[in-house]
Amino acid sequence: MCDIRVVPLGAGQDVGRSCILVSIGGKNLMLDCGMHMGYNDERRFPDFSYINKEGPLTDYLDCVIISHFHLDHCGALPYMSEMVGFDGPIYMTHPTKAICPILLEDYRKITVERKGETNFFTSEMIKSCMKKTIAMNLHQTIQVDDELEIKAYYAGHVLGAAMIHIRVGEQSVVYTGDYNMTPDRHLGAAWIDRCRPDLLITESTYATTIRDSKRCRERDFLKKVHDAVDKGGKVLIPVFALGRAQELCILLETYWDRMNLKVPIYFSMGLTEKANHYYKMFITWTNQKIKNTFVQRNMFDFKHIKPFDKVYADNPGPMVVFATPGMLHGGLSLQIFKKWCGGEKNMVIMPGYCVSGTIGWKILNGQRKIEMENKQIIEVKMSVQYMSFSAHADAKGIMQLIRQCQPSNVMLVHGEAEKMEFLKTKINEEFGISCFNPANGETVSIEARHGIPVDISLNLLKREPAKSASGLPEPKRSRLLHGALVMREQAMKLVEPREAMKELGLNEHDVRFTSTLTITDNDSVAEMAEKLMKIFRESAQQHSLQQSSDGSISIADSVLVKVSESDENDKSVLLSWSLQDEELGSHLLKIIKTKFPTAC
Amino acid sequence: MKLYCLSGHTSRPCFVLRFKGTTIMLDCSLDVSTLLHFLPLPLIQGGRLCELPGWSPAAPGAQRLDEELCECSGRVFVDSEPEFAIPELDMMDMSEVDVLLISNYHCMMALPFLTEYTNFRGVVYATEPTLHLGRLYMEELVDYIQQCPSQKRASKWKRQLNYLPPPLREAIRPSEWRQIYSKHDIDSSLAKICCVGFNEIKDIFGALKATPVSSGYAIGSCNWILTSHHHKISYLSGTSTLTTHPRPMEKSPLKDSDILIMSSLTQIPMANPDVKIGEFCVNAATTLKNGGNVLVPCYPSGITYDLFECLSSHLDTIGLGGVPLYFISPVAASSLAYSNIYAEWLSSGKQSKVYLPEPPFPHAELIRSNRLKHYPGLHEGFNKEIRSPCIVFTGHPSLRFGNVVHFLEIWGKSSSNTIIFTEPDFGYLEALAPHQPLHMKVSYCPIDTSLSFSQANKLIRELHPQHIVTPDQYTAPPVMMPHCTDLVIDPEYHPLTFKKAEVLTLPIKREFEQLDLDPQLAESLRPTEVRPGLAVAMLSGSLVSRDNHFKLTPAFNPVDNPLHFSEETKPSPLVKPVTSPTYLWGNLDVFELRDSLHQKGLMDAKVENVPNGFIIHIPSEDTLIQIDQTSTHIMCSNEILRNKIKESLIKCLAKI
């Protein structure tokens, strides 16, 4: 058995371009294949030359698994499969398979058409990449090949987000992707069974945060939006097209309904509208409440939220606009931001995590003067608000997941190094298991020793408990088992030694010992036997003792003791046992000798 | 291994399997064929059905039954709330059932009888669509029966079967028939279901693993595979190899089973579903062209979706695209809504539509364009909106209750209208009998996508099971077609057969169980090679069993040692591994043993020939060694000497 080896190509002590290589039981897997939003050069993609210096990866990887559709988890996929080259299977859930190509196309457009980059993947490449994908269902055990098995669990981070259980033989790894342990307005909570993997690779975005209750944050968010529009301000909410956007829409929709507000809410056109269709069709992936009520009313049919048009941005009066992308790193949200950032009454609410280097990150860090790509410097006068709505597990959630699946080792990825250190100590303390947080390119090796499966004959398995002293089966206690392990080529079976010899064509040579002791004693034969019984009862208490009608005693069904009259005052004690019971037999002999000094 | 057969209806199965200490129920179906003995329940009190003459046996000594029985067109019907035959749940103690595995929504209709009216406490597994669509089937059934105003109960006839004319006379144990459950029963029963996905492996007490694999018959329908480390039992329920809307059948996991239980083959062995769906479209179109209305008795899901799809596109091609389709059922809206969200459970063609994103079924578009309209019942606006000619899809296919009874009354008088039967559960003549005389045209296009006999035989060949288990009925041609000798399970497979209420002992012999050998213990093994590629090693360890998983770990003295003696004689407290007992084999050369004893200083050891072997005598020590072909008996009271002899003997033989 070899160790499990893991190397992060991305997301090692970092957030962005998640890409983790796992070698388990002779199989190599790539978990996620994301891009980094903080970079525009070659650093935006994982360094695939680590796997193969030059040329395609097909021969080096057994499969690729994508946990969810966020670009930092799938953004490099067409580059990897079409430009570097990979023809093996790519697994993802149905919703991910449906939504991922749309986000990739959107990403490609921004990069190629807006930023004018060449040497980027094309629409055709996205299509041919998606042809290599195989859809997974939740909890379905997929046999990638004869040995490699994968299974998806609900992760609750975005629609279709999954945690992946990977198994080869007895070794197993769980990769969480991004997950959320508390149900929100449209998704359920992540859940995994007690699968006891050798290694749990978990995200740790909020490694040090313990967030207050969701209700408080929601109330806070609604209050901020309401106050801003009351004052006549415009509210910009940069979001990713799918996920948080739907949750916040449900939130605002119900609030607007309840408060009878008339201020327009817009949703940036096209992509997001289409996104809502996906939510309608993948209702089975949302939370229980939405599932239960979808026949009467599909939650994703919004009444108050209208599609956005660019000209609306210049309309007077208050409004709320959801626009993509979520970190203000380009696209419509950045355009609107530039228009509105000078207005003091306006507000931008960042509902999620921002990767360092993005404009979202800069304003959240308090920068009020921001340099744009064209060297133009803009001043931010609008109010900047941060709401932690991104659906990642917090420290409590991560600990909860560890408790759920009971891993032997934990590895932290998708987080910041210092925060990881804190969580690492906590995991060490609370669970007493090793915790790793490798940097990109750093290998972690985990020793995973497991039992070897062997066939055991039922005769042997069922015969043994009958020998226990009490005579009652004791299923909970461990018991001693003697057998012969027959190894024929690769197959191993454990049988009764005599059965094994018969099968192997070996003629057993049975060996028995008989020793006779003469003891000088006045007791009758029966009294003597009774004495011996008492001795055995004390000194061989783990064994069954039986006295048959002729007075002979049998211990553990194997050693026979018989008392008979030899002379007037002498009794002869005969002990007989087989070679297999040599230990017990010779021991009993010794005991009798100790108890009866006259014995010879 | 034992198989209890709780149902006698080949397509409405219910089994209990006992294996490896677990008790597993397979399906829990309701036999609805009993409905045909009952008089239809009209939606509105009065009318023709209430005026039918009573019937009473003329034989002397018989009780009068005209309160309970009615006669219509030469047949006798029971005038009562309809009753159903449930599985033989009293064949065993239901509290012993650990798990119930459900294959598809047709096979769970008796679930409330099991969970609410017996002491069943097990876990129920079903796929998510099976749960939700099954709920719709149950709710529709209960709705239809409860919405009828008068609820009579008849029981006297059950005690006088001998006086009754056939087919009522042939009713099997009608005293066991039950009235339908309540809505509350449905909710509480279905709450006990745990959802599973295709290919999700469910552990049953560590003894067995149950896995559902797609069966291609309905949305979410599955076949169940039970595996232990050494055996595989496959249970085939409703299965289809045709391409319709559900996800295709998965065959490979069923291969090489030890036991293949095969039920639910087609109920209409002579009809080809493709031909029949074609006939259905043509017959419907002909009636519509002539200005008549078409009535299609149907269930709220399943083939009904295919009928919408085929019929609407057929009508388009012949220029009847404007004809409205009405789908009337208390669960119509839910059924259509659910059909849109189960992409993962559909054929790949339908599935790929969701990626666009478009609804998987074309009926979503038919609804959007107002061609297909659905109503919960006849009162809610339907009467105002109905336009003729039209097609109405409604239940119940037995024609004993539901909106279909009403349509038969209003459309039955005109020969320009047509009723088209598509569901295979009921014979159309029997279904129509209490509605006679009818003038409307009758067309019988039964569509059963389940396996035909030739498909089943071909499948068995492919799957190559050790043993086949099928209902008794599948080994002889159908009663109505005794000359069709090909409508059987090929006798060359030697199927084991069962009848209702029988218990079968299945030929599975368990010889091995899986054990986890501790790696440390494995490393300590010293195998002896007996022949190239064949080795043996003695193994002693401490056996731990938990949840039916066995593990062998190193055993140590003195803790685990059987030689746990009292204080004074306790050997050393040092922990050392338990040694394995020694076994000797081979032929003993007596003279070699003697020589070895001589070398150890026992110069007076002498070999004597005796019948059956030898004796080595050591007179100086009063020691005797009896030797024959297969054994040696050492009689020696001197421990030091005995050990010497033992050592010599071990040297002269091979050991493991």
Side-chain angles (χ1 to χ4, degrees):
Chain A
M1 279 274 185
C2 38
D3 295 347
I4 299 171
R5 282 183 302 121
V6 186
V7 191
L9 290 189
Q13 304 181 354
D14 186 16
V15 176
R17 62 164 191 204
S18 282
C19 182
I20 293 142
L21 300 180
V22 174
S23 294
I24 170 171
K27 305 283 165 185
N28 299 314
L29 298 96
M30 180 187 284
L31 305 174
D32 281 339
C33 187
M35 53 81 106
H36 202 297
M37 270 166 263
Y39 300 113
N40 278 319
D41 49 21
E42 75 282 354
R43 283 175 299 173
R44 68 178 156 214
F45 290 150
D47 178 13
F48 297 114
S49 68
Y50 182 94
I51 307 169
N52 184 12
K53 283 235 151 40
E54 242 167 89
L57 310 178
T58 311
D59 296 341
Y60 300 87
L61 291 175
D62 291 280
C63 75
V64 172
I65 305 169
I66 302 295
S67 65
H68 64 283
F69 58 64
H70 277 160
L71 289 172
D72 58 330
H73 292 258
C74 70
L77 195 59
Y79 171 76
M80 193 276 303
S81 76
E82 306 310 306
M83 297 172 81
V84 180
F86 176 69
D87 296 325
I90 302 167
Y91 292 93
M92 50 180 76
T93 64
H94 282 275
T96 309
K97 188 174 168 174
I99 295 162
C100 173
I102 295 169
L103 295 186
L104 286 170
E105 181 57 29
D106 193 48
Y107 173 42
R108 190 196 66 80
K109 266 191 197 149
I110 290 180
T111 316
V112 177
E113 288 169 14
R114 294 233 179 94
K115 296 185 183 160
E117 279 189 52
T118 49
N119 193 27
F120 204 72
F121 54 77
T122 63
S123 297
E124 272 317 302
M125 287 176 182
I126 298 175
K127 282 201 187 97
S128 51
C129 167
M130 291 314 290
K131 284 200 184 110
K132 297 173 186 171
T133 61
I134 299 171
M136 302 189 277
N137 289 331
L138 282 182
H139 303 165
Q140 169 193 18
T141 301
I142 296 177
Q143 215 66 50
V144 176
D145 58 33
D146 286 346
E147 291 157 330
L148 175 59
E149 216 176 79
I150 58 173
K151 180 176 177 182
Y153 289 91
Y154 193 79
H157 172 66
V158 287
L159 194 73
M163 306 193 277
I164 317 290
H165 182 254
I166 302 148
R167 197 166 76 92
V168 178
E170 301 294 308
Q171 296 186 333
S172 61
V173 171
V174 169
Y175 172 59
T176 64
D178 292 354
Y179 63 103
N180 184 13
M181 296 298 283
T182 45
D184 64 28
R185 294 217 170 229
H186 76 299
L187 296 173
W191 177 85
I192 193 160
D193 52 23
R194 191 176 300 162
C195 52
R196 297 195 175 91
D198 295 302
L199 174 66
L200 170 74
I201 306 174
T202 171
E203 65 132 325
S204 50
T205 323
Y206 291 125
T208 55
T209 327
I210 293 190
R211 284 177 298 169
D212 48 4
S213 90
K214 191 107 194 180
R215 295 277 151 196
C216 294
R217 269 177 288 145
E218 284 175 1
R219 217 169 19 236
D220 208 23
F221 167 79
L222 292 169
K223 189 172 180 305
K224 278 176 184 165
V225 174
H226 197 165
D227 287 353
V229 294
D230 262 357
K231 287 183 203 137
K234 295 175 169 47
V235 180
L236 170 66
I237 309 172
V239 285
F240 286 98
L242 292 130
R244 248 7 67 197
Q246 280 69 27
E247 185 187 354
L248 296 179
C249 283
I250 293 175
L251 196 60
L252 280 189
E253 169 92 7
T254 42
Y255 187 74
W256 251 236
D257 234 16
R258 196 173 68 223
M259 307 299 284
N260 202 14
L261 295 180
K262 298 284 180 258
V263 176
I265 308 175
Y266 298 111
F267 211 132
S268 69
M269 272 281 271
L271 183 57
T272 357
E273 210 185 3
K274 210 169 167 185
N276 289 343
H277 282 292
Y278 285 113
Y279 275 83
K280 282 186 225 168
M281 233 106 63
F282 287 112
I283 285 284
T284 48
W285 289 78
T286 58
N287 69 22
Q288 205 54 48
K289 192 180 160 208
I290 296 185
K291 277 194 251 183
N292 290 345
T293 56
F294 90 99
V295 176
Q296 290 77 41
R297 187 186 164 202
N298 200 316
M299 270 292 211
F300 299 101
D301 286 326
F302 297 119
K303 235 178 22 204
H304 296 276
I305 301 167
K306 308 263 168 4
F308 182 74
D309 190 293
K310 267 178 209 164
V311 297
Y312 295 172
D314 298 320
N315 282 2
M319 65 175 89
V320 180
V321 174
F322 287 97
T324 56
M327 300 184 193
L328 289 177
H329 54 283
L332 186 66
S333 62
L334 187 59
Q335 286 177 32
I336 301 176
F337 173 75
K338 282 192 223 164
K339 275 206 173 111
W340 291 357
C341 67
E344 277 163 29
K345 276 193 280 180
N346 296 343
M347 178 186 280
V348 59
I349 300 180
M350 306 298 297
Y353 183 86
C354 287
V355 165
S356 70
T358 58
I359 290 171
W361 182 79
K362 286 176 190 161
I363 58 168
L364 282 182
N365 277 280
Q367 279 193 37
R368 290 316 239 176
K369 289 203 165 72
I370 291 169
E371 190 185 323
M372 292 288 142
E373 272 157 17
N374 52 9
K375 303 281 174 197
Q376 174 203 350
I377 292 182
I378 56 168
E379 199 175 340
V380 183
K381 287 190 186 143
M382 77 199 299
S383 130
V384 177
Q385 298 289 341
Y386 173 70
M387 304 279 332
S388 163
F389 268 105
S390 61
H392 292 281
D394 60 3
K396 217 166 93 194
I398 295 169
M399 301 302 269
Q400 199 183 335
L401 189 83
I402 296 174
R403 214 165 292 126
Q404 261 183 25
C405 79
Q406 301 202 342
S408 316
N409 296 278
V410 175
M411 178 186 286
L412 304 178
V413 295
H414 200 282
E416 288 156 36
E418 317 87 77
K419 292 184 181 172
M420 283 179 174
E421 286 304 328
F422 169 80
L423 188 63
K424 217 170 130 175
T425 329
K426 235 184 115 181
I427 291 171
N428 264 315
E429 278 169 10
E430 189 161 340
F431 301 102
I433 52 179
S434 337
C435 186
F436 307 87
N437 60 333
N440 288 334
E442 190 184 321
T443 306
V444 169
S445 231
I446 281 149
E447 193 192 8
R449 281 167 67 98
H450 288 280
I452 299 152
V454 164
D455 285 348
I456 178 168
S457 92
L458 280 182
N459 288 341
L460 182 62
L461 195 64
K462 291 196 168 159
R463 190 184 56 116
E464 290 294 325
K467 282 195 160 186
S468 82
S470 60
L472 290 167
E474 295 174 275
K476 281 192 182 149
R477 248 185 65 184
S478 67
R479 57 182 205 252
L480 194 69
L481 180 140
H482 297 295
L485 189 68
V486 180
M487 289 160 264
R488 197 186 291 268
E489 310 293 338
Q490 289 302 307
M492 287 193 279
K493 58 180 183 180
L494 188 60
V495 295
E496 285 184 82
R498 296 218 158 81
E499 213 178 306
M501 293 174 101
K502 215 158 119 195
E503 191 183 322
L504 297 170
L506 308 179
N507 306 318
E508 195 200 340
H509 195 90
D510 197 26
V511 178
R512 252 196 115 69
F513 301 103
T514 300
S515 289
T516 313
L517 297 172
T518 309
I519 299 168
T520 312
D521 200 302
N522 290 330
D523 293 339
S524 73
V525 171
E527 283 167 338
M528 186 70 196
E530 194 46 52
K531 256 189 194 166
L532 284 172
M533 276 295 275
K534 200 175 155 227
I535 292 167
F536 295 150
R537 222 174 268 137
E538 279 169 8
S539 53
Q541 49 191 321
Q542 291 209 331
H543 294 281
S544 61
L545 270 179
Q546 267 183 335
Q547 193 165 19
S548 59
S549 51
D550 65 347
S552 60
I553 303 165
S554 93
I555 300 120
D557 290 331
S558 55
V559 181
L560 193 79
V561 180
K562 207 168 174 174
V563 187
S564 57
E565 204 86 36
S566 86
D567 279 324
E568 248 177 78
N569 288 330
D570 293 350
K571 305 284 167 310
S572 83
V573 178
L574 176 142
L575 276 94
S576 176
W577 67 93
S578 70
L579 178 63
Q580 286 77 40
D581 299 304
E582 168 68 12
E583 217 165 333
L584 182 62
S586 57
H587 233 106
L588 291 176
L589 192 65
K590 211 184 280 170
I591 291 168
I592 299 174
K593 280 183 177 169
T594 349
K595 296 275 178 186
F596 300 95
T598 61
C600 62
Chain B
M1 181 159 101
K2 285 202 157 51
L3 184 70
Y4 297 67
C5 311
L6 279 60
S7 162
H9 191 304
T10 55
S11 294
R12 292 291 178 265
C14 180
F15 300 98
V16 171
L17 187 73
R18 284 197 201 258
F19 186 47
K20 282 193 78 178
T22 60
T23 304
I24 298 161
M25 184 181 266
L26 304 167
D27 284 332
C28 190
S29 320
L30 198 58
D31 184 349
V32 287
S33 58
T34 55
L35 290 176
L36 295 176
H37 295 299
F38 292 85
L39 209 60
L41 301 174
L43 282 180
I44 309 146
Q45 195 65 6
R48 189 189 64 88
L49 286 166
C50 299
E51 286 150 20
L52 288 173
W55 186 92
S56 213
Q63 239 185 311
R64 287 199 63 79
L65 291 172
D66 46 5
E67 284 289 295
E68 295 194 347
L69 302 179
C70 282
E71 192 179 351
C72 179
S73 54
R75 274 186 192 245
V76 173
F77 296 94
V78 182
D79 183 11
S80 148
E81 191 187 323
E83 293 176 341
F84 302 82
I86 68 165
E88 300 281 317
L89 298 178
D90 44 10
M91 255 181 98
M92 60 194 308
D93 183 357
M94 283 298 133
S95 68
E96 289 172 27
V97 177
D98 302 310
V99 179
L100 163 58
L101 307 176
I102 291 172
S103 313
N104 59 65
Y105 47 74
H106 286 288
C107 294
M108 61 183 283
M109 298 295 281
L111 189 64
F113 290 117
L114 174 72
T115 60
E116 308 309 301
Y117 298 96
T118 73
N119 52 358
F120 172 85
R121 286 192 302 265
V123 187
V124 187
Y125 288 122
T127 63
E128 197 179 320
T130 298
L131 165 64
H132 291 300
L133 296 174
R135 176 193 295 277
L136 300 185
Y137 273 57
M138 289 179 176
E139 285 177 351
E140 188 193 57
L141 192 64
V142 172
D143 250 19
Y144 279 156
I145 294 175
Q146 289 182 346
Q147 72 186 200
C148 299
S150 84
Q151 305 279 327
K152 279 208 237 171
R153 286 189 182 180
S155 61
K156 278 190 254 166
W157 67 275
K158 294 178 182 180
R159 293 189 294 272
Q160 305 200 55
L161 283 185
N162 287 338
Y163 298 114
L164 307 182
L168 195 53
R169 178 196 197 103
E170 276 109 50
I172 302 161
R173 294 178 67 194
S175 54
E176 301 291 312
W177 293 359
R178 304 274 196 95
Q179 273 154 345
I180 200 64
Y181 33 76
S182 69
K183 284 247 170 102
H184 175 267
D185 291 339
I186 299 177
D187 289 338
S188 134
S189 178
L190 295 184
K192 294 175 175 107
I193 291 184
C194 299
C195 284
V196 290
F198 285 151
N199 302 91
E200 178 173 350
I201 300 168
K202 282 286 170 193
D203 189 280
I204 303 174
F205 302 129
L208 291 171
K209 290 193 162 72
T211 314
V213 296
S214 180
S215 76
Y217 172 67
I219 301 179
S221 75
C222 63
N223 292 317
W224 284 93
I225 302 172
L226 291 163
T227 47
S228 68
H229 289 297
H230 298 92
H231 292 107
K232 174 149 101 180
I233 297 128
S234 298
Y235 166 56
L236 252 72
S237 188
T239 300
S240 177
T241 50
L242 303 174
T243 317
T244 57
H245 61 271
R247 212 161 86 171
M249 178 205 180
E250 210 182 338
K251 285 181 194 167
S252 57
L254 304 164
K255 277 187 184 156
D256 301 313
S257 306
D258 295 279
I259 303 275
L260 178 70
I261 304 168
M262 202 174 215
S263 72
S264 308
L265 301 187
T266 178
Q267 300 188 68
I268 318 287
M270 297 303 282
N272 175 327
D274 282 331
V275 174
K276 290 295 166 190
I277 205 160
E279 283 177 20
F280 163 78
C281 293
V282 171
N283 291 346
T286 312
T287 303
L288 294 169
K289 247 185 227 161
N290 297 330
N293 297 306
V294 178
L295 178 61
V296 186
C298 67
Y299 287 119
S301 175
I303 289 293
T304 309
Y305 298 152
D306 298 309
L307 296 180
F308 291 153
E309 185 170 348
C310 293
L311 185 62
S312 64
S313 71
H314 179 75
L315 295 181
D316 279 341
T317 57
I318 57 163
L320 287 173
V323 173
L325 278 60
Y326 298 113
F327 178 25
I328 307 162
S329 160
V331 297
S334 301
S335 164
L336 294 169
Y338 276 117
S339 72
N340 277 333
I341 66 161
Y342 285 140
E344 288 138 278
W345 309 86
L346 299 179
S347 65
S348 56
K350 298 239 179 310
Q351 203 174 84
S352 57
K353 285 215 166 168
V354 184
Y355 296 153
L356 295 176
E358 277 171 22
F361 281 97
H363 57 235
E365 176 55 28
L366 295 177
I367 294 165
R368 218 188 48 79
S369 61
N370 259 334
R371 269 186 73 189
L372 173 64
K373 293 188 185 180
H374 57 89
Y375 301 88
L378 294 179
H379 309 295
E380 287 91 17
F382 174 72
N383 287 327
K384 264 183 266 161
E385 288 182 35
I386 183 166
R387 279 192 291 128
S388 285
C390 65
I391 308 158
V392 168
F393 293 86
T394 191
H396 183 272
S398 64
L399 310 190
R400 292 302 180 268
F401 39 76
N403 305 310
V404 72
V405 177
H406 175 74
F407 281 99
L408 274 169
E409 276 176 27
I410 59 167
W411 286 353
K413 297 176 193 98
S414 162
S415 62
S416 58
N417 299 329
T418 306
I419 177 168
I420 310 183
F421 289 86
T422 58
E423 290 294 344
D425 285 348
F426 304 97
Y428 75 105
L429 291 175
E430 290 87 344
L432 282 173
H435 298 281
Q436 298 292 5
L438 274 181
H439 298 288
M440 79 193 299
K441 284 197 280 293
V442 176
S443 161
Y444 184 53
C445 308
I447 299 161
D448 192 339
T449 56
S450 325
L451 293 175
S452 68
F453 282 95
S454 70
Q455 286 165 341
N457 284 321
K458 187 167 157 264
L459 186 66
I460 296 172
R461 204 169 312 127
E462 265 176 72
L463 300 182
H464 199 262
Q466 290 286 316
H467 301 280
I468 297 276
V469 182
T470 66
D472 178 51
Q473 292 95 316
Y474 291 165
T475 53
V479 186
M480 306 300 283
M481 296 166 266
H483 51 280
C484 296
T485 47
D486 55 332
L487 298 182
V488 293
I489 294 289
D490 197 330
E492 77 175 41
Y493 300 128
H494 303 292
L496 304 163
T497 63
F498 60 83
K499 292 193 189 88
K500 188 176 186 178
E502 272 187 350
V503 183
L504 247 60
T505 303
L506 299 181
I508 272 206
K509 213 177 148 203
R510 288 179 58 219
E511 286 175 329
F512 289 99
E513 184 56 77
Q514 186 161 300
L515 173 91
D516 241 6
L517 184 58
D518 182 89
Q520 204 186 335
L521 188 59
E523 274 167 26
S524 71
L525 290 178
R526 297 287 169 261
T528 322
E529 191 168 57
V530 181
R531 282 191 295 278
L534 187 63
V536 63
M538 279 305 295
L539 178 58
S540 292
S542 161
L543 181 73
V544 188
S545 77
R546 186 187 294 146
D547 302 338
N548 281 318
H549 287 297
F550 301 98
K551 218 168 144 181
L552 199 63
T553 57
F556 293 101
N557 277 326
V559 193
D560 286 329
N561 195 337
L563 302 172
H564 188 224
F565 296 109
S566 57
E567 298 281 312
E568 47 195 303
T569 53
K570 200 169 178 176
S572 103
L574 277 179
V575 173
K576 61 166 191 185
V578 167
T579 49
S580 305
T582 310
Y583 285 82
L584 301 177
W585 59 279
N587 293 319
L588 180 64
D589 182 340
V590 185
F591 301 100
E592 194 190 335
L593 176 60
R594 181 199 59 190
D595 295 347
S596 166
L597 294 173
H598 284 179
Q599 276 170 19
K600 291 209 151 94
L602 299 161
M603 298 311 288
D604 59 342
K606 269 196 214 73
V607 176
E608 290 165 27
N609 265 312
V610 291
N612 306 329
F614 303 92
I615 285 180
I616 296 180
H617 194 202
I618 310 171
S620 61
E621 295 286 350
D622 189 20
T623 290
L624 215 59
I625 308 172
Q626 278 177 356
I627 299 161
D628 65 22
Q629 205 60 61
T630 59
S631 67
T632 298
H633 191 170
I634 300 161
M635 285 164 271
C636 171
S637 300
N638 177 334
E639 274 299 278
I640 300 161
L641 178 63
R642 192 180 65 83
N643 278 317
K644 275 187 188 167
I645 301 171
K646 187 176 81 186
E647 275 164 32
S648 295
L649 185 67
I650 290 173
K651 255 189 219 152
C652 294
L653 287 160
K655 73 166 187 177
I656 54 169

